[in-house]
Amino acid sequence: MAQGFAVRLSANPDDAVNGAASAEVTECLGQPTRYRLTYSLDSVDGDFPLLKESKLGPDSDLSIIVTTADGSECLVRGPVGGQEMSFVHGGSGSTLVVTGADSSIKLDREDKVFAWADVTDSDAVSKILTTANLSPTVETTTAGHAELKHTLIQRESDLSFIRRLARRNGSLFWVRCDAEGTETSFFQRPKLDGEAECDLIINLTDPRPNVTDLEIMWDVECPTSVDATELDLNTKSDITGAVARSPLTALGGSALADIALGTRSAHIAMPVDDQGDLQARGEAVLIDSSFFVRAKGSTTLSVLGKVLRAHTLVNLRGVGTRHSGIWFCAYVNHVIEENEHVMNFELVRNGWTE
């Protein structure tokens, strides 16, 4: 077992899986969390027994646990989906890479055709996640789908369906697992109000820096408002869903709409039954486009002292008054080897300090 992480089978310790030399876990907004476990592939009597180990085979339920000063944390739990083998003549140096993803991947295994009537988007998501035993935390949505108007039609897998509903509501969907093996799913808009999980520090001597290099980029060529109108096919009245600006809190104080002056407007048109549905879709467009600032960097667990996670807030310090402050973590690639846990990260922001 490499120092700093453990592999568990169905959330329980098991020597058959806990021999990985290294681990890689990738968290990214809008995608299942994926993992790669690298094992030494040893030859025994002309065969490779690890290749026939059922506990590393298809659908085996693995968890990757890391230990910090605050306790144990689960980076990912989910089924094995594949293996990659690299053979070196003579056996020494051969490796087996076991790949998999979090439990949301199970929702992508069956295409379905279903008509959701007299429900909201959040009702449909809650029902799917409850059935899948993924303890749902679902933010209530406003769009209604009446049977006598436009029912909500699913013609894809549950995962693709949930992602589609997330995009139209400006929400994110992801699954987390705690160190005890309990899985929780989330369907909600980015939470930008709250405390940062950690400080990422560069260019300062006190406190000690924990980031050695950082890239920041911004692009304001994005819509800052939405024009949306539709016709109610039952009453023949107009439905208006114009949105003047993103509904999210502006990190740094000044939002994109305050910075990029002039008209930057998007027009959306789609069949809807109420103003709530149309406005939610307009807000979703602006939520997505409002994150116009991005940052990339790297840190380590030994220096940071905490595990950096996607979907959380961090406090970036030492990059000037304009860009220092709270950011939203959009991506973390954990690379865990014998002596170090490297975290390559991407942050996004929907504003800055003037």
Side-chain angles (χ1 to χ4, degrees), residues 120-135:
T120 62
D121 292 346
S122 53
D123 291 336
V125 172
S126 294
K127 179 66 178 296
I128 292 171
L129 296 176
T130 299
T131 302
N133 295 316
L134 289 175
S135 183

Side-chain angles (χ1 to χ4, degrees), residues 126-253:
S126 294
K127 179 66 178 296
I128 292 171
L129 296 176
T130 299
T131 302
N133 295 316
L134 289 175
S135 183
T137 298
V138 176
E139 190 173 68
T140 300
T141 60
T142 58
H145 305 282
E147 184 175 9
L148 297 179
K149 294 184 178 181
H150 290 95
T151 55
L152 180 60
I153 302 299
Q154 176 182 354
R155 291 193 183 94
E156 66 258 84
S157 70
D158 286 338
L159 181 58
S160 295
F161 181 59
I162 291 173
R163 285 180 180 167
R164 174 158 64 91
L165 298 185
R167 287 193 299 272
R168 69 165 57 173
N169 287 282
S171 299
L172 300 170
F173 170 63
W174 72 99
V175 174
R176 278 279 183 89
C177 183
D178 63 23
E180 286 69 46
T182 302
E183 295 174 297
T184 304
S185 56
F186 298 86
F187 180 95
Q188 60 190 33
R189 288 179 172 181
K191 299 297 184 184
L192 305 184
D193 298 298
E195 298 295 324
E197 295 290 327
C198 64
D199 289 351
L200 293 174
I201 304 168
I202 191 171
N203 295 326
L204 301 178
T205 55
D206 185 22
R208 179 186 175 189
N210 50 37
V211 177
T212 56
D213 58 271
L214 190 79
E215 298 178 11
I216 296 179
M217 59 223 77
W218 56 263
D219 182 356
V220 297
E221 294 302 331
C222 311
T224 58
S225 64
V226 163
D227 175 41
T229 57
E230 190 53 69
L231 181 68
D232 188 313
L233 298 180
N234 292 73
T235 66
K236 302 301 186 287
S237 60
D238 288 335
I239 301 174
T240 59
V243 183
R245 59 192 295 139
S246 169
L248 298 185
T249 299
L251 298 176

Side-chain angles (χ1 to χ4, degrees), residues 274-292:
D274 55 46
Q275 189 267 344
D277 193 356
L278 192 59
Q279 182 171 328
R281 299 196 190 206
E283 290 177 349
V285 170
L286 297 186
I287 288 172
D288 182 61
S289 67
S290 68
F291 289 99
F292 71 103

Side-chain angles (χ1 to χ4, degrees), residues 68-109:
T68 70
D70 298 326
S72 297
E73 186 165 346
C74 181
L75 293 182
V76 62
R77 176 183 179 180
V80 171
Q83 292 185 353
E84 301 170 9
M85 289 139 273
S86 177
F87 294 94
V88 176
H89 181 68
S92 178
S94 299
T95 58
L96 168 67
V97 177
V98 176
T99 63
D102 68 43
S103 293
S104 68
I105 202 71
K106 299 176 185 178
L107 301 175
D108 203 33
R109 292 175 172 174

